[in-house]
Amino acid sequence: MNLILMGAPGAGKGTQSEKISEKWGIPAISTGEILRAAIKEGTALGREAKTYIDDGKLVPDETVIGIVKEYLASSVCQNGFILDGFPRSIPQAEALDTLGVKIDAVLSIEVADETIVERMSGRRVCACGASYHLLFNPSKVEGICDKCGAKTTVRADDAPETVTKRLATYHEQTEPLKAYYAKKGLLLEVKGQDEITETTRLVFDALGSISL
Ligand code: ADP
Ligand code: ADP
Ligand code: ZN
């Protein structure tokens, strides 16, 4: 299964991609995570990406397209993949089409903006990709990742003023992709407003209905 996961910042893409990844045994590729790892390592890519991410803007299309191209060509993606957070603009979607990669479905997790702001304030993340919430999905020991034992952190771009900018960027540049993929008959919309387990149920239901 080749899947695209869409949704506003904080809609639950990372959380649900973990579940899909476990159930279907396919890797999740999160462009946001790849960029944050580059920032941590202090690479040229990281230095470029940081200015955009800190400002709640999209990293330039050519940069992220280059990253995704490399992943899709590698052996890890040969039995399917989940693209978490890519494409995020029409030019990115067109570039993906040009690569000739078959996409089976585009799943969009729908959450109201008001809910997003509340969710982001409690988000804690781990460098291994795990995502927690102080109230809605706490780690067993506060501040420590269940999966790898590392310390969890607050993302710099989860500050309320940056979240507001990211939501505006989403509505302006990413949301038009829903019409783009609906036209191709690939769009599946799932309500992401309820608790995590209920959202996972809706996600699995939606994915169970697609023909591969
Ligand atoms: P995204 O990858 O879309 O930015 P995350 O999966 O990281 O979003 O989720 C954002 C935050 O909200 C995290 O703290 C996560 O634990 C929490 N969260 C995710 N889904 C839900 C949900 N259905 N209900 C409550 N909190 C959620
Ligand atoms: P979230 O889903 O919570 O917004 P991500 O981890 O997916 O967070 O992305 C964090 C940031 O990384 C985005 O706000 C953006 O600046 C950058 N980014 C991630 N994916 C892309 C992409 N496909 N195109 C451009 N910028 C991206
Ligand atoms: Zn971890």
Side-chain angles (χ1 to χ4, degrees), residues 71-99:
Y71 270 85
L72 293 183
S74 77
S75 59
V76 291
C77 290
Q78 295 321 299
N79 295 316
F81 55 80
I82 306 161
L83 288 176
D84 165 0
F86 181 95
R88 252 178 156 99
S89 67
I90 299 282
Q92 290 180 21
E94 288 170 348
L96 189 60
D97 286 345
T98 309
L99 290 181

Side-chain angles (χ1 to χ4, degrees), residues 9 13 31-32 36 53 57 59 85 88 92 123 155 166:
K13 300 182 294 298
T31 41
R36 277 189 294 282
I53 292 180
K57 297 204 173 104
V59 172
R88 252 178 156 99
Q92 290 180 21
R123 171 153 68 179
R155 269 171 54 175
R166 285 161 64 203

Side-chain angles (χ1 to χ4, degrees), residues 64-192:
V64 274
I65 290 166
I67 296 172
V68 171
K69 233 184 201 173
E70 220 172 276
Y71 270 85
L72 293 183
S74 77
S75 59
V76 291
C77 290
Q78 295 321 299
N79 295 316
F81 55 80
I82 306 161
L83 288 176
D84 165 0
F86 181 95
R88 252 178 156 99
S89 67
I90 299 282
Q92 290 180 21
E94 288 170 348
L96 189 60
D97 286 345
T98 309
L99 290 181
V101 181
K102 183 173 146 284
I103 298 298
D104 297 301
V106 177
L107 190 86
S108 177
I109 305 177
E110 302 295 321
V111 176
D113 286 9
E114 303 79 67
T115 311
I116 296 290
V117 178
E118 173 191 279
R119 275 192 196 175
M120 297 309 224
S121 61
R123 171 153 68 179
R124 296 293 181 271
V125 296
C126 179
C128 78
S131 177
Y132 301 94
H133 191 282
L134 289 181
L135 302 175
F136 307 133
N137 184 26
S139 53
K140 290 193 184 84
V141 179
E142 194 179 320
I144 302 292
C145 177
D146 291 350
K147 294 213 163 140
C148 75
K151 278 194 183 144
T152 59
T153 56
V154 177
R155 269 171 54 175
D157 61 342
D158 279 350
E161 56 285 9
T162 316
V163 170
T164 308
K165 287 190 195 168
R166 285 161 64 203
L167 278 171
T169 303
Y170 171 76
H171 290 304
E172 216 170 278
Q173 291 179 267
T174 308
E175 212 166 18
L177 288 176
K178 288 203 291 186
Y180 182 90
Y181 286 117
K183 220 183 257 173
K184 293 179 187 282
L186 292 175
L187 185 71
L188 300 170
E189 289 183 274
V190 165
K191 182 161 69 93

